[in-house]
Every structure is written in structure tokens, then in C-alpha cells.
Amino acid sequence: MINNESIRKLRQMDLSELVDHLEMQEIDNDTRYLSFDERLQLSIDHLYQEKYNTRVKGLIKRSKFRIQDAHFSSVYYEKRDIDRPTLQELATCSFINHRRNVIFQGFTGSGKTFLACALGREACKKEIRTRYIRLPDLLIERDEATLKSKGVTNLITKFSNYGLLIIDEWLLDDVSEEDLKFLFEIIERRYDSGSTIYCTQFRKADWHKRLGGGVHADAIMDRIVHNAVWFDTGQLNMREQLAKTNMT
């Protein structure tokens, strides 16, 4: 076993996982008599996996998902009439590499937020900086940022830099002209540089009117809809379905 001074140096370099694995090797009869190269390879693999897991956990925590435990393995398909192959393709996160957007559209309770959070977790597993936020909360942050010097500019920069941004409750409430200018700046900066997921109850035909019907509506839609994967989450109310399941 390596000496105490070497252990101290490893821990100081934030390599405690390596120390723990070396100590485990010493008491494991299956590994203690392996060659140096074999033991080193095992330790490197273990260290890499532990560091990766820590990074992913941090990304997930900072993403602030509304549904923290949303997983694609838990997606309910029965009687839902959703496009399973497309959903599985989205789970590969290749849409992020191509800077495409995703729009989950469906009735209230149809599982839009769950699917968006599950997709966000897959992005985190690929070490992509991700952030979830409801549109009303984003606008509240904008209002608070107006009280600080360069606050709004800094906020726009912050939300422009995520590899994946999830905006929930998109266009659920009316938006003002000032709101539209703010949203346009974020969308413009993210255009062709990052991917955004929008969760909305409204079909594409309704967007222009809900965005005010003016030039900002034209500009916002032009930067979102032409490069987006539209996914209908169906008409089954998943909250009602889960409630029935929990009662049985």
C-alpha cells in the first residue's frame, strides 16, 4: 500500500476516490495479486467513473429541474399515442449537437414537464450545461435584474450560455412588449449556438397571436420554429393516470 505521505498528496489533489480504491484493492483477494498495470488500469477506470458521476450530479443539481427524478425509463406509453421512436431519438441528445430546438406541445397534465426534465437529465449525462425554468419565473428574474447595474444584460448572457435551456409554461400567460424584447434577446443569442426546449399548451398556429402578432412575434418564431422538433404529448392526463395507479 502507498505510504501516508502519498495518500496526503493524493487527497490534496482531490483524488480521494483513487485512495479509496487503492485501499479497497488491498483487502480484495480478487485484485490484490494483480499486476501493477492491471491494478493501475482498474484504479484509473474507477477514478474516471467517480469524477464523471460527481460532475453529472452537479450539473443535475444546478439545472434545477422541476421533476428531479424524471427518467426516460419511466416514460408511460400505454394509451398515450405518442411517437416513441422520435422520443428515443431525442434521448440521444443529437438534436443538441445540431443546435435544434424541441417543442413539447400538449394539454395540461399530458407530461410535457416530465419529458423535458427527462431529456434534460440525458443532456447532463453528456456533460451539457442545462437549465430548467418556468417562463413566469424567468420574467420575475428579469424584473429583479432591472434593479441592478447591467443586471438584465448579465441575465441575458447567463441564459444565453446554457447548452440546453428548458422553458416551461411557454406562452401560458400574456406577455408584454417589454417581455417580448427580453425574450427575443435570449432567443437571438441562443440561435445556432444552443438548443432550447419549450413546453407549451399551444399549437404553432396560436403562437403568433400569443406573441403579440407584431414584428417581435415574427422574429421570435423565425428563430424557433424552422429548426424545431415538434412533439405532441398526447391527450392522456398523466396526473390523473398516476393518481389512479397509486390508488390501486
Side-chain angles (χ1 to χ4, degrees), residues 16-238:
S16 296
E17 300 92 344
L18 179 57
V19 174
D20 294 340
H21 193 258
L22 290 172
E23 291 176 343
M24 183 188 71
Q25 286 185 353
E26 283 298 308
I27 61 175
D28 187 348
N29 290 329
D30 292 332
T31 59
R32 64 183 303 181
Y33 297 114
L34 294 176
S35 69
F36 172 80
D37 288 346
E38 289 171 327
R39 292 184 64 174
L40 179 61
Q41 186 63 57
L42 287 173
S43 296
I44 292 173
D45 291 344
H46 175 81
L47 179 62
Y48 177 86
Q49 189 63 47
E50 289 296 310
K51 291 294 186 183
Y52 166 79
N53 291 342
T54 298
R55 291 194 301 272
V56 170
K57 287 179 182 178
L59 286 168
I60 290 174
K61 182 178 180 180
R62 292 188 291 274
S63 294
K64 299 184 179 181
F65 296 126
R66 185 172 184 176
I67 305 176
Q68 285 286 325
D69 59 349
H71 295 274
F72 270 103
S73 59
S74 302
V75 173
Y76 187 87
Y77 291 99
E78 187 178 351
K79 299 179 181 179
R80 215 167 162 194
D81 193 27
I82 59 177
D83 189 341
R84 188 168 187 165
T86 297
L87 193 58
Q88 291 174 337
E89 173 62 25
L90 289 174
T92 68
C93 293
S94 61
F95 73 95
I96 300 176
N97 298 331
H98 295 94
R99 307 295 189 267
R100 300 191 69 187
N101 300 316
V102 177
I103 300 166
F104 286 119
Q105 185 271 318
F107 295 100
T108 182
S110 62
K112 300 182 295 295
T113 301
F114 183 94
L115 294 176
C117 290
L119 198 50
R121 285 182 66 96
E122 294 302 313
C124 289
K125 291 178 184 178
K126 297 185 181 300
E127 300 187 65
I128 297 170
R129 288 183 66 241
T130 302
R131 177 65 193 274
Y132 166 94
I133 192 166
R134 298 166 57 248
L135 180 55
D137 291 333
L138 178 58
L139 295 177
I140 288 174
E141 287 199 25
R142 186 277 316 274
D143 292 341
E144 294 173 346
T146 60
L147 304 176
K148 304 175 184 178
S149 176
K150 297 183 179 179
V152 175
T153 298
N154 292 337
L155 187 66
I156 291 171
T157 300
K158 171 185 173 181
F159 280 97
S160 300
N161 288 336
Y162 289 108
L164 176 63
L165 177 63
I166 301 171
I167 304 180
D168 202 353
E169 298 182 11
W170 175 250
L171 303 182
L172 182 62
D173 300 315
D174 293 335
V175 288
S176 68
E177 187 66 23
E178 195 64 31
D179 296 337
L180 291 173
K181 292 178 182 178
F182 170 70
L183 292 173
F184 171 76
E185 287 301 321
I186 293 178
I187 292 167
E188 162 62 19
R189 294 197 191 187
R190 293 187 59 77
Y191 181 72
D192 206 29
S193 66
S195 294
T196 307
I197 297 176
Y198 300 87
C199 300
T200 182
Q201 294 186 35
F202 298 97
R203 297 187 179 277
K204 187 192 304 186
D206 301 320
W207 278 35
H208 195 265
K209 180 179 180 181
R210 296 200 64 79
L211 286 166
V215 292
H216 279 108
D218 294 335
I220 289 172
M221 289 192 67
D222 186 58
R223 287 160 176 76
I224 295 177
V225 302
H226 301 309
N227 193 31
V229 178
W230 289 74
F231 192 92
D232 191 333
T233 55
Q235 300 186 27
L236 181 65
N237 190 312
M238 290 305 300

